[in-house]
Amino acid sequence: MKKIVLSYLILLFLFNVMICKIEMLPLCEIGKEESKDSKNCNTHFVLVHGSGGGAWNFYKIRTLLENHGYQVSCLDLKSAGIDATDPRSILTFEDYNKPLVDFLSTLPENEKVILVGHSAGGMSVTDAIHRFGKKISIAVYVGAVMLRRGYLTEQDKIDGIPDIIRQPPTNSTMTREFQRQIIYNLSPEEDATLSWMLRKAGPDKVIGDTKFAESPGIDEVTRLYIKTMHDQVLKPEQQDAMIKKWPPSDVFLLESDHSPVFSSPTDLVGILVGVAGSTKIFTGTCT
């Protein structure tokens, strides 16, 4: 009986070896495909939402970037997303932006990130450049407010504050359909609905009163701007004014509405991947 069992085990072993040999080549090829982007885990994207949004805004972008092998962090600023803080209790921009400041403060000294801000998230990016320039390899503004010193002048407010915030519609006109036509005019219906369900009030007055002190070395951080060409919130002419006032290293044009995270996620990620590939700076650690 023992001889029969032993013979069976030997035959089973030989059979498995044959199967492995047959499958070895395709398995190796699959391994090569999976490891193509393994170096990308050295690059860490940090994504910052605009007023009223949250980390959830980036669900498509995070998925696509992670599929490329990148490390991605999405943050809820104070009172945004799942943070339960009442936005009416936010009295300073420093308080509002504390989650990003805390995050960057805890990064290892030798680690840098690609910091991406959308809409009013551009103010958070600029604040981070002033505070943590040495931890940012590239700052990317996506249809975002890009003002070196914040809202110092009335012209800054004209350039950087959307009309729907400076001259907000009444509650009766700020309807789901209004948001669909103005904010998400090119976005899928499902994403417009998701945003309508999850969007929260942001501390717009606090953001609009924010000013930054000049910091040494601020121009050492590479800045890139992604212009949202069909934006009816932060309009192209407003974006142009900010680009002219504080010129970035490069400007990319994106055929999107104010929310490319919904309307043009593949094109947006294509630009971000290209940006990541253009830098040789070490930006993270593989886990």
Side-chain angles (χ1 to χ4, degrees):
M1 183 67 180
K2 289 182 178 179
K3 288 183 178 180
I4 294 174
V5 172
L6 182 59
S7 298
Y8 173 78
L9 290 174
I10 291 172
L11 287 171
L12 183 61
F13 172 77
L14 292 173
F15 176 76
N16 284 332
V17 168
M18 291 175 64
I19 292 297
C20 287
K21 285 184 177 180
I22 291 171
E23 295 184 347
M24 188 172 294
L25 181 59
L27 283 173
C28 287
E29 291 302 313
I30 292 172
K32 287 178 181 176
E33 285 297 315
E34 290 178 344
S35 65
K36 267 185 187 178
D37 295 329
S38 62
K39 66 180 183 300
N40 291 345
C41 68
N42 285 333
T43 301
H44 187 177
F45 282 94
V46 178
L47 311 179
V48 185
H49 62 82
S51 178
W56 60 268
N57 283 116
F58 298 106
Y59 79 95
K60 289 182 178 181
I61 306 305
R62 179 171 190 164
T63 301
L64 291 170
L65 285 174
E66 288 181 341
N67 285 345
H68 279 282
Y70 295 106
Q71 183 181 353
V72 183
S73 296
C74 304
L75 306 177
D76 282 324
L77 298 180
K78 195 80 170 284
S79 80
I82 63 173
D83 187 291
T85 304
D86 186 338
R88 292 172 296 184
S89 71
I90 304 294
L91 302 180
T92 65
F93 185 80
E94 184 177 1
D95 188 23
Y96 175 64
N97 206 35
K98 190 173 186 297
L100 176 60
V101 171
D102 289 347
F103 179 88
L104 294 174
S105 296
T106 60
L107 286 178
E109 286 300 318
N110 67 332
E111 182 173 341
K112 293 191 174 188
V113 301
I114 296 177
L115 186 58
V116 182
H118 170 241
S119 193
M123 290 289 284
S124 296
V125 170
T126 302
D127 184 32
I129 293 175
H130 281 287
R131 293 168 177 262
F132 302 100
K134 292 183 178 180
K135 292 188 175 183
I136 302 168
S137 61
I138 303 175
V140 185
Y141 294 77
V142 183
V145 180
M146 186 177 67
L147 297 168
R148 182 188 185 102
R149 298 283 305 279
Y151 296 105
L152 283 181
T153 67
E154 283 303 311
Q155 188 59 49
D156 290 332
K157 294 190 175 186
I158 292 171
D159 295 339
I161 298 180
D163 290 342
I164 62 173
I165 294 177
R166 285 194 298 121
Q167 300 170 348
T170 63
N171 289 336
S172 61
T173 57
M174 189 60 168
T175 62
R176 176 179 177 182
E177 184 57 29
F178 176 88
Q179 289 194 18
R180 179 77 181 97
Q181 292 177 357
I182 301 301
I183 304 177
Y184 310 110
N185 46 301
L186 297 180
S187 297
E189 187 73 34
E190 297 87 348
D191 290 319
T193 299
L194 177 67
S195 184
W196 172 257
M197 295 170 66
L198 297 180
R199 192 171 182 85
K200 298 168 67 175
D204 292 327
K205 186 178 187 309
V206 167
I207 296 172
D209 288 337
T210 299
K211 300 175 179 63
F212 303 120
E214 184 68 21
S215 302
I218 186 174
D219 290 319
E220 294 178 11
V221 177
T222 300
R223 285 176 299 107
L224 305 174
Y225 200 95
I226 300 177
K227 185 178 171 183
T228 42
M229 299 298 290
H230 305 286
D231 198 327
Q232 297 187 53
V233 179
L234 194 62
K235 297 175 181 177
E237 54 268 30
Q238 291 178 287
Q239 298 178 52
D240 286 337
M242 291 185 289
I243 289 168
K244 182 177 181 180
K245 194 178 297 183
W246 192 24
S249 298
D250 207 347
V251 176
F252 300 87
L253 305 183
L254 193 59
E255 299 294 330
S256 77
D257 57 18
H258 185 62
S259 300
V261 293
F262 298 146
S263 63
S264 307
T266 303
D267 292 338
L268 175 56
V269 167
I271 294 174
L272 295 178
V273 168
V275 166
S278 69
T279 179
K280 303 298 182 183
I281 300 174
F282 179 74
T283 54
T285 55
C286 297
T287 56

